[in-house]
Amino acid sequence: MTQQRTDHGVVEGDLPVGQRPRPGRRPPREVWLGDRGDEGRTAAESGLWTSSTPVVTAPPRSASAPRQGAATRNVSSADGRRTKRRIMGVDVARGFALVGMIAVHVLPAVADAEGNPSLEWQLFAGHSAALFATLAGVSLAFMTGGRAPRRGRDGTRARVSILVRALVLFLLGLTVNMLELPVYNILIYYGLMFLVAIPFTRLSVPWLLASSAAFAVVMPFVMQWSLSVLPAHVYGNPGFVALLTDPGAVLAELFLTGTYPALPWMTFICLGMALGRLPLSRDRMQVLLVIVGAVIAAVARGISLLMLMRFDLEDALVEATPWMTSDDVWNIQIYGPDPQLPDTTNLWLLLSGPHTNTPFALLESAGLAMVALGAFLLLCRVIGKWLTWLGAMGSMTLTLYVAHLVFLAFVWTETTPWFWFLVQIAVAALFAVAWQQALGNGPLERLVTKVSKGAAAAAVRPEKAPPRRRAEPTRR
């Protein structure tokens, strides 16, 4: 131990074992700044530290250093690592999902006169919306503490905030549905997914993964059973009037029989919450996401196609559903149901087409969502600066998605789909980058955050700190 003489004339190194020196002033201590060069060797030889793991004292903060939060409040790290508030790779993946949803809504699904699907349809149909939902689960994990879930009053406040956020999204979806939309609106389903997710915010990663698997396997059977029991899928985009006049049919559609049914799609929400509680900034975790996700997607897709091509699933479906032909079966496999699967047999659950919401379809999309998230986290380490525009779009997807739906309600895009697709992407990217640089979060994101956090703060008051006791003077 380093020998230092105290004000009382006692050498610390000579004190008996277990006896601490009396309180009092001590001579100033040398500070090791982490330099292991020549100066470090000289210091070691002079006896400033003698152990192999010396105590490190941080140097004082420079007066010219920027205050934390002033320059990094809304900055995303270009290498994909977490900053104070965001992980850029997650925003980029969310922006990519938005681009995919716009492509599915605007670009043609059929590539040629023979009915073959277009490349953009094969890439994005069903999968971009699933990635969107998975990243919503990641956001829920971040809002509830990330790798260290919030407990006590903080956890209650976070869950109340999610509840208010779910209600706002639900009302916003109903409001947008008042327009004549040519596509299905996911926002109203989104709000219900947030609502159902609240109890799951308490779970750990293993339980979240188990819940995701359970939703993927069990809920498609419940959905298929409900087709013959609950009202059919009759409202494409239900609004306030439909909810008030026919609540049973609307809720059945939103939870089970719709395009983005909340209960089967909890597969993606629970998966996203599990991923949000993992160390996403680590290289190994990002590579693992790509590998595991690719395996899950390939196995799910492969088994479904194997059943169709080698095990006579196609003939069994045609036999159970006499009004359908083999071409109809393959149309559902490639383009999805219109609007829901037949209820003649549970064998329909062996398909994996977009928005069929079968176990294989859910698992395939979940695996591809993991691949996309891991890949963009890795890419942001290498070319993060080139993806800034996509990350900016991903930071305000609610604003841009609502703007996209309003645009489709007033502009006919089928005559020149590629032109309108590129126009929407360019305008969205320019707006997102400019707004983020000037004001940070998007306008609707700021509104939803202000309302939800304000309501949560009003509902759950912070616990009063106990009065501080006066420290007793040290006896000398």
Side-chain angles (χ1 to χ4, degrees), residues 227-274:
L227 295 177
S228 58
V229 178
L230 298 178
H233 185 285
V234 293
Y235 298 102
N237 290 308
F240 289 101
V241 175
L243 181 62
L244 294 176
T245 58
D246 195 5
V250 171
L251 293 177
E253 182 175 323
L254 296 179
F255 279 104
L256 283 171
T257 63
T259 306
Y260 313 99
L263 293 181
W265 276 53
M266 282 299 296
T267 300
F268 308 120
I269 298 294
C270 288
L271 172 64
M273 285 195 290

Side-chain angles (χ1 to χ4, degrees), residues 2 32 41 84 185 213 218 249 413 424 427 447 474:
T2 305
W32 177 51
R41 286 193 297 270
K84 185 179 180 182
N185 177 13
V218 175
T413 62
Q424 290 183 80
V427 172
L447 174 63
T474 304

Side-chain angles (χ1 to χ4, degrees), residues 76-83 86-94 96 131 135 138 142 275-276 278-290 369-384 387 390:
S76 298
S77 173
D79 64 355
R81 296 184 184 276
R82 182 191 294 271
T83 60
R86 310 195 74 93
I87 297 180
M88 183 181 178
V90 176
D91 282 342
V92 172
R94 193 180 291 111
F96 178 75
L131 175 59
L135 295 173
V138 174
F142 289 166
L275 299 181
L278 296 176
L280 293 178
S281 59
R282 295 182 183 177
D283 302 0
R284 183 179 301 177
M285 182 58 62
Q286 295 166 7
V287 174
L288 192 63
L289 283 178
V290 174
M370 295 173 65
V371 171
L373 177 58
F376 281 114
L377 287 171
L378 289 170
L379 283 175
C380 284
R381 294 179 174 274
V382 183
I383 56 171
L387 299 175
L390 200 56

Side-chain angles (χ1 to χ4, degrees), residues 20 65 102 110 122 162 174 177 222 233 252 256 353 364 368 412:
R20 301 178 61 186
I102 295 176
V110 182
Q122 297 180 64
I162 293 174
L174 289 174
N177 285 350
V222 178
H233 185 285
L256 283 171
E364 179 186 355
L368 292 177
W412 184 258

